[in-house]
Coordinates of all heavy atoms in Angstrom, one line a residue:
G1562 N 34.6 69.2 -53.6 CA 34.0 70.5 -53.7 C 35.0 71.6 -53.5 O 36.1 71.3 -53.0
P1563 N 34.7 72.8 -54.0 CA 35.7 73.8 -53.9 C 36.1 74.2 -52.5 O 35.3 73.8 -51.6 CB 35.1 75.0 -54.6 CG 33.8 74.5 -55.2 CD 33.5 73.2 -54.6
N1564 N 37.1 74.9 -52.3 CA 37.5 75.4 -50.9 C 36.3 76.1 -50.3 O 35.7 76.9 -50.9 CB 38.7 76.3 -51.0 CG 40.0 75.5 -51.0 OD1 40.1 74.5 -50.3 ND2 41.0 76.1 -51.6
G1565 N 36.1 75.8 -49.0 CA 35.0 76.5 -48.3 C 33.7 75.8 -48.5 O 32.7 76.3 -48.0
A1566 N 33.6 74.7 -49.2 CA 32.3 74.1 -49.5 C 31.7 73.4 -48.3 O 30.5 73.2 -48.2 CB 32.5 73.0 -50.6
G1567 N 32.5 73.2 -47.3 CA 32.0 72.6 -46.0 C 32.4 71.1 -45.8 O 31.9 70.4 -45.0
K1568 N 33.5 70.7 -46.5 CA 33.9 69.3 -46.4 C 34.5 69.0 -45.1 O 34.1 68.0 -44.4 CB 34.9 69.0 -47.5 CG 34.4 69.3 -48.9 CD 35.5 69.1 -50.0 CE 36.8 69.9 -49.9 NZ 36.6 71.3 -50.1
S1569 N 35.5 69.8 -44.6 CA 36.1 69.6 -43.3 C 35.0 69.7 -42.2 O 35.1 69.0 -41.2 CB 37.2 70.6 -43.1 OG 38.3 70.4 -44.0
T1570 N 34.1 70.7 -42.4 CA 33.1 70.8 -41.4 C 32.2 69.5 -41.3 O 31.9 69.1 -40.2 CB 32.2 72.0 -41.7 OG1 33.1 73.2 -41.8 CG2 31.2 72.3 -40.5
F1572 N 33.3 66.5 -41.9 CA 34.1 65.6 -41.1 C 33.9 65.9 -39.6 O 33.8 64.9 -38.8 CB 35.6 65.8 -41.4 CG 36.1 64.9 -42.5 CD1 35.3 64.5 -43.6 CD2 37.4 64.4 -42.5 CE1 35.7 63.7 -44.6 CE2 37.9 63.6 -43.5 CZ 37.1 63.2 -44.5
F1610 N 43.5 65.0 -40.0 CA 43.1 66.4 -40.0 C 43.7 67.1 -41.2 O 44.8 66.8 -41.6 CB 43.6 67.1 -38.7 CG 42.9 66.6 -37.5 CD1 43.4 65.5 -36.8 CD2 41.7 67.2 -37.0 CE1 42.7 65.0 -35.6 CE2 41.1 66.7 -35.9 CZ 41.6 65.7 -35.2
Q1611 N 42.9 68.0 -41.8 CA 43.4 68.8 -42.9 C 44.7 69.6 -42.5 O 45.6 69.6 -43.2 CB 42.3 69.8 -43.4 CG 42.8 70.6 -44.6 CD 41.7 71.5 -45.1 OE1 40.5 71.5 -44.7 NE2 42.1 72.4 -46.0
H1612 N 44.6 70.1 -41.3 CA 45.8 70.8 -40.7 C 46.4 69.8 -39.8 O 45.9 69.5 -38.7 CB 45.5 72.1 -40.1 CG 44.8 73.0 -41.0 ND1 45.4 73.7 -42.0 CD2 43.5 73.4 -41.1 CE1 44.6 74.4 -42.7 NE2 43.4 74.3 -42.1
D1700 N 41.2 63.7 -44.6 CA 40.9 65.1 -45.0 C 42.2 65.6 -45.8 O 43.2 65.9 -45.2 CB 40.7 66.0 -43.8 CG 40.0 67.3 -44.3 OD1 39.9 67.6 -45.5 OD2 39.4 68.0 -43.4
E1701 N 42.1 65.6 -47.1 CA 43.2 66.0 -48.0 C 44.5 65.2 -47.7 O 45.5 65.9 -47.5 CB 43.4 67.5 -47.9 CG 42.1 68.2 -48.2 CD 42.3 69.7 -48.6 OE1 43.4 70.1 -48.9 OE2 41.3 70.4 -48.6
V1731 N 38.3 63.3 -48.5 CA 38.3 64.6 -49.0 C 39.6 64.8 -49.8 O 40.7 64.6 -49.2 CB 38.1 65.7 -47.9 CG1 38.4 67.1 -48.5 CG2 36.7 65.6 -47.3
H1733 N 41.7 67.1 -53.2 CA 41.6 68.0 -54.4 C 42.2 67.4 -55.6 O 42.0 67.9 -56.7 CB 42.3 69.3 -54.0 CG 41.4 70.2 -53.1 ND1 40.2 70.6 -53.5 CD2 41.6 70.6 -51.9 CE1 39.7 71.4 -52.6 NE2 40.5 71.4 -51.5
Ligands
MG1377 MG1 38.8 71.5 -45.6

Side-chain angles (χ1 to χ4, degrees):
N1564 273 328
K1568 305 179 298 291
S1569 293
T1570 306
F1572 266 35
F1610 292 89
Q1611 181 177 351
H1612 304 287
D1700 200 346
E1701 304 198 15
V1731 167
H1733 283 298

